[in-house]
Amino acid sequence: NASTDTIELSEYRRKIINDINILSLNPDILFSYVEDEPDLFYQVIGRYKLLLNENKIQNGELIAVSANSQSYSNLEQKKFRKALVWADLAYIADPTFNILYTNLALAYLLNDDWPKAKEIYETYQDSTYFNGTQTCKQGFLDDLDEMEKIGITHPDFQKVRELLGATEEKEETTTND
């Protein structure tokens, strides 16, 4: 019955939107899902992703913006696991929202997952965001500088700079002065 399907889908959508609204109002709820009920977290995210893929939810970018902001805030607070969860949610919500890759790579790096971080750095370094005015490469490097300014360091920060050619650029600038 088509009307039953519509009612079920409507109820399904309401449940997902309710879950997402709860998560966006209280980020600790999302993290508690990951720590205490990982299956529930992935069910909520899975339902959201399904509706997003079926074009039933039109505001993926809005959720990506919010989740990305939460990710950076958690990075600054040295809550690296939470930061990764939020960056993952931003990616799920809208993988075309390129600025999210700056937080996603940094979150992987600060969670000691160099292979995943490296893959993001290599894949997205030439991508742009802010209407093409900023490259992810520059965002990656700026984030490392910002983390160091607030006392967050990691042995792999230098690997990132080398991978992105930042150490060569600094040497060229020094010799040209």
Side-chain angles (χ1 to χ4, degrees):
N1 185 333
S3 63
T4 305
D5 290 343
T6 304
I7 292 169
E8 286 176 19
L9 182 58
S10 241
E11 183 64 22
Y12 187 62
R13 184 173 185 203
R14 186 197 59 72
K15 170 73 173 130
I16 292 172
I17 290 170
N18 183 56
D19 289 347
I20 290 169
N21 286 339
I22 289 169
L23 297 177
S24 65
L25 290 174
N26 186 347
D28 289 331
I29 291 174
L30 177 63
F31 193 61
S32 73
Y33 282 3
V34 173
E35 284 189 329
D36 304 330
E37 302 179 59
D39 291 339
L40 181 57
F41 167 76
Y42 288 107
Q43 287 173 16
V44 170
I45 298 306
R47 287 194 305 253
Y48 170 77
K49 189 174 181 180
L50 177 68
L51 285 180
L52 189 67
N53 289 341
E54 293 174 355
N55 294 317
K56 303 279 193 264
I57 295 177
Q58 303 298 322
N59 61 349
E61 186 176 351
L62 294 176
I63 290 172
V65 168
S66 177
N68 194 56
S69 176
Q70 288 291 337
S71 176
Y72 195 79
S73 175
N74 279 282
L75 286 167
E76 291 179 314
Q77 297 170 44
K78 300 181 182 180
K79 297 176 181 176
F80 304 134
R81 189 163 171 223
K82 283 184 181 182
L84 182 56
V85 169
W86 282 108
D88 278 339
L89 179 57
Y91 173 78
I92 289 167
D94 186 357
T96 67
F97 184 63
N98 284 347
I99 194 172
L100 78 86
Y101 295 105
T102 62
N103 290 347
L104 187 59
L106 188 56
Y108 276 124
L109 187 69
L110 292 171
N111 278 283
D112 296 319
D113 193 340
W114 168 247
K116 285 185 181 175
K118 181 182 179 194
E119 181 180 346
I120 294 167
Y121 288 129
E122 289 175 333
T123 302
Y124 293 97
Q125 65 180 321
D126 296 324
S127 297
T128 61
Y129 56 93
F130 293 144
N131 295 322
T133 62
Q134 177 86 17
T135 64
C136 284
K137 175 182 175 178
Q138 191 58 53
F140 294 146
L141 296 170
D142 289 348
D143 284 351
L144 296 181
D145 292 342
E146 287 301 313
M147 291 294 116
E148 289 174 331
K149 283 180 189 173
I150 61 173
I152 298 172
T153 62
H154 192 279
D156 290 339
F157 280 9
Q158 186 58 29
K159 280 186 185 177
V160 174
R161 288 184 172 104
E162 289 170 6
L163 178 70
L164 299 176
T167 54
E168 294 167 13
E169 291 169 16
K170 286 182 180 180
E171 289 171 11
E172 289 174 18
T173 305
T174 307
T175 50
N176 291 338
D177 287 346

